[in-house]
Amino acid sequence: MMTPDFLSASLPLLAPEMILAVGSMALLMLGVFIGEGSSRLVAMLSVVLLVFAGFWLVLGTPDGVGFGGSFISDAFAKFMKVLVLIGSAVAIVISRGAAGGDRLDRFEFPVLVVLATVGMMLMVSAGDLIALYLGLELSSLALYVLAAFNRDSERSTEAGLKYFVLGALSSGMLLYGASLIYGFTGQIGFAEIARAMTAEGRSVGLVVGLVFVLAGLAFKISAVPFHMWTPDVYEGSPTPVTALFAAGPKVAAMALLTRFTVQGFAPLTADWQQVIIFISIASMGFGAFAAIGQKNIKRLMAYSSIGHMGYALVGLAAADAAGVRGVLIYMATYVAMTAGTFAVILAMRRKGGQVEDIYQLSGLSQTNPMMALGLTVLMLSLAGLPPLVGFIGKYYVFMAAVGAGLVPLAVIGVIASTIGLFYYLRVVKVMWFDAPAEGFLPMTIELRAVLAVAALFVFPVYLFVGPSLLAAAEAAAATFF
């Protein structure tokens, strides 16, 4: 039974999530009372709400464990939650730059994004199996609707259906694994599970449960072999929704995967490390080769995201503080690069509507030099070329793997990254060396702002990397008892 003292100690930890939950309900009622003309106002207030929750998270939320260990607020959670909030805010901002496309000019869209954000933040702070599932399902239910938000589009409806069916399958696998873990340990809290395993030792049933939970979480980050939904959902969903899929949910799932393995299954590190190494290698390799033949830029980014999750998992495979720091740095750089890239993709619009073929970027350097320059910087950063932040992220995860004795894994990562240069440089070649195609409509102010901030973040690394490295090191230290 929850006493007043119990609640008074726990509720301050949950304040950012409560702000977003209550705020989303208020925005929903505002949209209903005002009507369809409220979409712009609700979108603006949603961004303000996300920013306010972010400031409260950083400045007003204490560290601690609440609700009997179900909710954890620490430096690691705050770091990843900030990335989730940034990804969600960017999705709403660029949706306003969609020029009425994809039927996103509705007040329900930003409300659903905020509700999904609440679930993602709960995932990041989950301290037991029940909180893990509640956060995951809260975010997933909103994301299913967002994928199919454009009801007049057959592709969008198909994307939502595929994501829902495969998401339900992954949730079932995760639940089955969680039930096995509870059955063999008698505990649901990550810390208690670790202590039970230390006292009772390893069992086959427990390892099977671990593998099923890892499979469910691997689906959420679209790691191979649980990636099958990613290209079709990325291509079919409205572009701002695809941008959200590529950032927020992946950050939340990676944070949950990191906390679940490092804290909950530290006694079985040798077991889960093998699984992480396998899906890391498979994701890096598949992402590198499968993207080569892609002509649709959203599908290209889907396969690119699969590869990038593989690189991030290299850091997790190290299973130490340096590896977790590498994961944090990599996810921060990934969010920035992805946000800017999708702002450009959304700006690929002519009078006839949005285009997605890579070769429609032909000669962009002549028709829109600033847009071409911004996308070039982002492509080179995604490729991992120095001195851009994409190189910094890969450097830290690869060095963590080397420090943990996983030299072959780091070498495979470097090889996959080299192969991936082809499809990123192909986009650059099309923009700068091909004959100009018809120019795009002028970028809206929202898209220009997102592209400018992203390009500034990835280019002058000396301005941003120092504070990010310090914050990541502190956050990584918080994941180890």
Side-chain angles (χ1 to χ4, degrees):
M1 181 178 180
M2 291 186 292
T3 65
D5 291 339
F6 181 89
L7 287 176
S8 63
S10 299
L11 288 179
L13 307 178
L14 195 64
E17 287 80 2
M18 291 192 296
I19 289 171
L20 293 180
V22 174
S24 64
M25 295 298 101
L27 291 174
L28 180 61
M29 290 188 290
L30 177 66
V32 170
F33 286 127
I34 296 180
E36 290 299 327
S38 64
S39 61
R40 183 174 184 83
L41 174 62
V42 173
M44 292 174 57
L45 292 177
S46 297
V47 174
V48 171
L49 185 65
L50 292 168
V51 172
F52 178 70
F55 276 108
W56 191 289
L57 171 70
V58 175
L59 302 177
T61 305
D63 291 346
V65 178
F67 300 100
S70 296
F71 191 89
I72 302 172
S73 177
D74 55 15
F76 175 82
K78 291 178 181 178
F79 188 98
M80 294 302 248
K81 285 180 182 180
V82 168
L83 297 184
V84 168
L85 290 167
I86 291 173
S88 299
V90 167
I92 296 175
V93 170
I94 66 174
S95 73
R96 300 307 308 171
D102 293 326
R103 297 177 59 88
L104 296 181
D105 195 25
R106 297 172 177 270
F107 70 86
E108 295 96 338
F109 177 78
V111 173
L112 285 169
V113 173
V114 174
L115 287 173
T117 306
V118 176
M120 288 184 265
M121 293 176 71
L122 290 175
M123 288 170 62
V124 174
S125 285
D128 62 28
L129 296 173
I130 293 178
L132 176 156
Y133 185 73
L134 288 176
L136 190 147
E137 286 304 302
L138 177 58
S139 66
S140 295
L141 289 173
L143 293 174
Y144 296 150
V145 179
L146 287 170
F149 197 83
N150 186 1
R151 292 176 295 177
D152 295 338
S153 168
E154 183 177 331
R155 289 198 315 167
S156 180
T157 304
E158 180 185 356
L161 181 61
K162 285 182 177 179
Y163 189 44
F164 171 73
V165 172
L166 294 175
L169 175 63
S170 72
S171 295
M173 296 171 64
L174 188 146
L175 273 178
Y176 180 65
S179 67
L180 286 176
I181 293 170
Y182 174 69
F184 280 91
T185 63
Q187 304 291 337
I188 60 171
F190 296 160
E192 290 77 15
I193 290 171
R195 285 195 290 268
M197 284 187 292
T198 302
E200 300 173 10
R202 177 181 181 272
S203 67
V204 176
L206 193 58
V207 173
V208 172
L210 168 64
V211 171
F212 271 97
V213 173
L214 291 180
L217 294 178
F219 174 89
K220 299 303 178 183
I221 62 172
S222 62
V224 176
F226 307 100
H227 64 284
M228 65 289 293
W229 62 274
T230 313
D232 292 337
V233 173
Y234 270 48
E235 182 181 6
S237 300
T239 303
V241 176
T242 306
L244 177 65
F245 281 148
K250 282 185 166 50
V251 171
M254 187 64 72
L256 181 53
L257 179 61
T258 301
R259 193 185 293 280
F260 175 76
T261 52
V262 171
Q263 291 187 351
F265 279 80
L268 295 186
T269 296
D271 293 287
W272 63 257
Q273 195 176 39
Q274 296 177 43
V275 178
I276 297 299
I277 290 173
F278 170 77
I279 64 176
S280 174
I281 293 173
S283 299
M284 290 187 294
F286 182 81
F289 285 102
I292 290 177
Q294 300 303 317
K295 295 182 180 180
N296 183 291
I297 194 166
K298 289 170 70 175
R299 291 184 74 88
L300 174 70
M301 290 302 295
Y303 288 110
S304 171
S305 73
I306 294 171
H308 281 290
M309 291 304 102
Y311 298 127
L313 289 171
V314 171
L316 180 57
D320 56 17
V324 174
R325 180 181 64 173
V327 172
L328 294 167
I329 295 170
Y330 200 94
M331 296 309 296
T333 61
Y334 172 75
V335 168
M337 296 183 296
T338 300
T341 302
F342 275 98
V344 174
I345 293 174
L346 200 58
M348 294 171 58
R349 187 178 295 275
R350 299 193 175 105
K351 292 181 180 179
Q354 187 170 351
V355 295
E356 297 174 357
D357 192 292
I358 292 172
Y359 293 97
Q360 297 296 327
L361 292 166
S362 295
L364 186 64
S365 60
Q366 299 181 43
T367 58
N368 194 331
M370 296 308 296
M371 181 176 168
L373 179 61
L375 184 57
T376 298
V377 171
L378 292 166
M379 287 291 109
L380 296 180
S381 184
L382 284 166
L385 294 181
L388 306 176
V389 296
F391 169 78
I392 300 296
K394 288 183 178 177
Y395 172 81
Y396 275 94
V397 294
F398 291 159
M399 290 307 295
V402 171
L406 302 175
V407 177
L409 179 60
V411 171
I412 292 172
V414 172
I415 295 172
S417 184
T418 304
I419 296 171
L421 277 172
F422 173 82
Y423 53 83
Y424 293 121
L425 292 180
R426 182 181 61 177
V427 176
V428 176
K429 175 258 181 187
V430 167
M431 289 190 295
W432 292 91
F433 297 104
D434 285 9
E438 180 186 351
F440 299 124
L441 296 174
M443 294 183 74
T444 62
I445 188 171
E446 295 91 349
L447 298 181
R448 287 201 301 267
V450 171
L451 176 59
V453 172
L456 287 174
F457 182 88
V458 302
F459 189 65
V461 297
Y462 53 85
L463 292 179
F464 300 101
V465 169
S468 298
L469 293 182
L470 292 175
E474 180 183 354
T479 61
F480 290 86
F481 295 110

